[in-house]
Each structure stands twice: as structure tokens, then as C-alpha cells.
Amino acid sequence: MSKKVLITGGAGFLGSHLCDRFINEGWKVIAMDNLITGNPNNIGHLFGNPDFKFIQHDVTDFIHVEGDLDLVLHFASPASPIDYLEMPIQTLKVGSLGTHKALGLAKAKGARFLLASTSEVYGDPLIHPQTEDYWGNVNPIGFRGVYDEAKRFAEAMTMGYHRYHGLETRIVRIFNTYGSRMRLNDGRALPAFMSQALRGEDITVFGDGSQTRSFTYVDDLVEGIYRLAMSDHAEPVNIGNPQEISILDFAKEIIELTGSDSKIIFKDLPKDDPKIRKPDISKAKSILNWEPKYPRHEGLKITLEYFKNMI
Ligand code: UDP
């Protein structure tokens, strides 16, 4: 009999790609989403599939699912700096109360639980690249604090259920990821730069653009998450592409890729914006035999087609 997975945030960018992956692996999939940042269009192609079900629900309230479950993937959360500004309380609630509800459901069903955590648990990191044993440098009262601290709490809660209740748990620390189904206006660098370049608008680089990020193509991320879900490793694992680039160079790369004549303009750097970020993926390599396959220029080319369609 096929296995059944519940994916919270299933109508979101990452959640919807995970729905596709698990359907393709022969699983029954329930996507749950309150649609505050998720979008039904992301899973529209799955409606009508007998192995797929969508439930509109806010996971900060008690979660009821009928029948058995083998796996719960907790991906519900606002996940961009603009979202944290606009929805600080929801962000805190879904990372704390929502994680508690999703863990409680997994425990009641005897299901395995996988938490979507984030490189934001490292804050503005003082070690580089970031290894899983680094505890981070987070400002609890900054505007990113609502996300960072909720995810840090979520990790602690997950380990609590693992240690106290013996629940089978997994924690993935996700680094900046891009691909189709990103929201055009979520304020993140890639959707901002691609939309601006395609519309011929100025490209808004924050600060002097010397801050770095390491961007992962969504198919690579999904592969890493799938492998982690199937593994027996309870400690957090970084999944990300270690190919690091400054934001200014990233903006130039997107201008070149799109052939746009947009100009770069500089705006104030948001407070607590991490200066550097790059995953150490030794653990994912050794435990999951995983490493990214898409160099940035390839992933960006595929993603550009999506943005062209959307614009
Ligand atoms: N960024 C930028 N211009 C934009 C949006 C973002 O220069 O229009 C910068 C942002 O300040 C950060 C980097 O790009 O240094 C990545 O931002 P994003 O919001 O994508 O992710 P995060 O900061 O959470 O890694």
C-alpha cells in the first residue's frame, strides 16, 4: 500500500515542489495551507489526482487528519524578510504553535516528522562557512528575530519530541533557494532582481552589495530533503549550494542573463542583514550522499523562463 505524507505549507514555493516529488515517488499526499503566502495555483495541476488532497487550514490550530500518516513535513511559514515585517505574529505562531501541532499530529499517528528549518538559525554568522554545530549569532529583537527565533524554537521543540517521546524526527536547514513558483513580490533578491530586469526597472541592491549568499536551485533542495526524510539522521543537516556570490555580482549576473539594460541602484541595507552566508555541506555529502547538481547559471536559466511567463 502506498505511504501517506502530510505537507504543511503545501501550496507554497517549497511545499508545492515537495508535493510533486512525493506524488512522483508513489506517495499519497495531503497538502495543508492557510494560503496567506501559499497559492493554490502552485498545486492546481494536482487537483483531480486521486492520490492528492488539499486541506485549507491554519496549522497553528489543532490539526485533524483522518486515517494513517507515515510522514509529516512541516513547511508552513512566511519565509521572506518582507513577510516577517508584515506578518510578525503569524511567523512566530507558525514556527512555535504550528510546529507543536504538527509534532503532536506526527506523534498521534506514529509518523516520522521533518522540520523545515533555515540558515537563519545562524543569524549574522561569525564562522564561515556555516557548519551544523555552529550555534549562531541571532538578534532576538530585530525584525528577522520573529523568524529566526521561531525556527530555533521549532528545532528545540523537534529535538524535545525526539528525545522525550522517541519520535522519529529530521531537521533540514535550508539555505537561499530559488526556482519556479517563487512569489514575484516577496521582496527577496532573486524575484526582485529578475522582475526588475525583465521590466527594465532599476535593480535595487541593498547596502554596497558586498554581502554574500549561496543560492540553491529548487530541484537540488528537494532531492536533499527527500534523501534526509528517508535517512535515519535526527540531527540538523544543511542543504544548500556552497557556490557563494556577492549580491552586487548576483545583480550583474541577472542583468547579463536577461540581456536587460536596467541600471543598478543602491538602497539602505536592512538591519541585521547577514553579511555572509555559505553552507558547509560535508554532513549532507557523507550522510545522504547528496550534493547540488545545478550550477547557478543553469538553475537561473530555467528560473528565468518561469519569471518571463509570470511577467
Ligand atoms: N537584497 C537586495 N535587493 C533586493 C532584495 C534583497 O540587495 O531588492 C539583498 C538583501 O539585503 C540580502 C540579499 O539580497 O542581503 C538576499 O536577500 P533575500 O531577501 O533574498 O534573502 P535573505 O536575506 O533572507 O538571505
Side-chain angles (χ1 to χ4, degrees):
M1 222 179 63
S2 50
K3 295 196 166 194
K4 204 193 260 179
V5 56
L6 171 76
I7 305 177
T8 76
F13 164 44
L14 299 181
S16 65
H17 280 285
L18 286 163
C19 288
D20 286 338
R21 177 61 188 260
F22 277 84
I23 287 282
N24 289 339
E25 297 286 344
W27 287 59
K28 290 190 185 305
V29 173
I30 304 174
M32 185 170 275
D33 207 298
N34 65 356
L35 302 179
I36 62 167
T37 59
N39 186 338
N41 290 338
N42 291 338
I43 45 171
H45 57 288
L46 295 174
F47 285 107
N49 183 325
D51 288 333
F52 181 76
K53 189 171 159 186
F54 173 67
I55 302 175
Q56 185 168 351
H57 178 72
D58 182 339
V59 295
T60 61
D61 294 326
F62 184 87
I63 308 172
H64 175 72
V65 171
E66 266 166 38
D68 295 342
L69 277 180
D70 300 284
L71 178 63
V72 174
L73 304 180
H74 184 40
F75 275 70
S77 179
S80 84
I82 281 192
D83 293 343
Y84 318 147
L85 265 184
E86 289 175 356
M87 294 173 277
I89 314 294
Q90 283 108 319
T91 304
L92 279 161
K93 281 177 73 180
V94 75
S96 54
L97 305 179
T99 302
H100 185 217
K101 299 288 181 290
L103 279 163
L105 176 74
K107 176 169 155 273
K109 301 284 187 187
R112 187 177 286 182
F113 176 87
L114 184 145
L115 173 71
S117 186
T118 166
S119 53
E120 282 285 322
V121 300
Y122 302 124
D124 191 3
L126 304 178
I127 71 145
H128 196 67
Q130 292 78 55
T131 44
E132 288 88 347
D133 57 9
Y134 177 50
W135 293 348
N137 176 40
V138 170
N139 175 6
I141 58 163
F143 86 94
R144 284 176 185 253
V146 297
Y147 183 63
D148 301 5
E149 295 296 4
K151 288 293 188 184
R152 289 166 67 94
F153 175 90
E155 288 199 5
M157 178 75 102
T158 301
M159 291 311 289
Y161 267 68
H162 175 64
R163 294 196 180 110
Y164 185 73
H165 291 303
L167 192 72
E168 275 195 52
T169 57
R170 311 283 177 263
I171 298 174
V172 56
R173 290 190 181 146
I174 298 169
F175 284 67
N176 296 64
T177 301
Y178 65 93
S180 62
R181 304 180 193 162
M182 289 186 101
R183 280 145 61 216
L184 257 53
N185 57 351
D186 72 359
R188 287 185 183 130
L190 185 135
F193 293 172
M194 272 206 180
S195 321
Q196 290 161 345
L198 289 171
R199 293 183 175 125
E201 296 166 3
D202 291 339
I203 308 272
T204 53
V205 166
F206 298 161
D208 61 5
S210 62
Q211 69 273 29
T212 69
R213 293 295 185 272
S214 308
F215 294 95
T216 312
Y217 182 58
V218 65
D219 287 6
D220 279 332
L221 182 86
V222 166
E223 179 63 33
I225 290 171
Y226 188 80
R227 288 187 191 204
L228 179 62
M230 299 308 139
S231 80
D232 59 4
H233 193 76
E235 306 275 321
V237 178
N238 289 339
I239 299 286
N241 189 328
Q243 208 188 358
E244 185 182 11
I245 187 172
S246 78
I247 291 301
L248 181 58
D249 286 344
F250 188 54
K252 290 179 183 162
E253 215 172 77
I254 290 184
I255 290 175
E256 200 182 304
L257 176 76
T258 51
S260 167
D261 49 17
S262 288
K263 302 272 166 299
I264 292 175
I265 58 165
F266 295 91
K267 295 204 157 183
D268 288 348
L269 187 67
K271 214 177 157 303
D272 299 329
D273 198 290
K275 286 181 268 313
I276 42 175
R277 180 180 291 156
K278 170 183 170 169
D280 181 313
I281 58 166
S282 320
K283 205 168 162 183
K285 276 186 184 160
S286 66
I287 292 171
L288 309 175
N289 193 23
W290 174 89
E291 62 183 321
K293 289 211 179 78
Y294 290 84
R296 205 172 42 245
H297 68 269
E298 263 182 48
L300 285 180
K301 241 195 257 168
I302 306 171
T303 307
L304 177 62
E305 292 312 306
Y306 166 78
F307 276 88
K308 276 187 185 161
N309 280 332
M310 297 299 284
I311 287 172

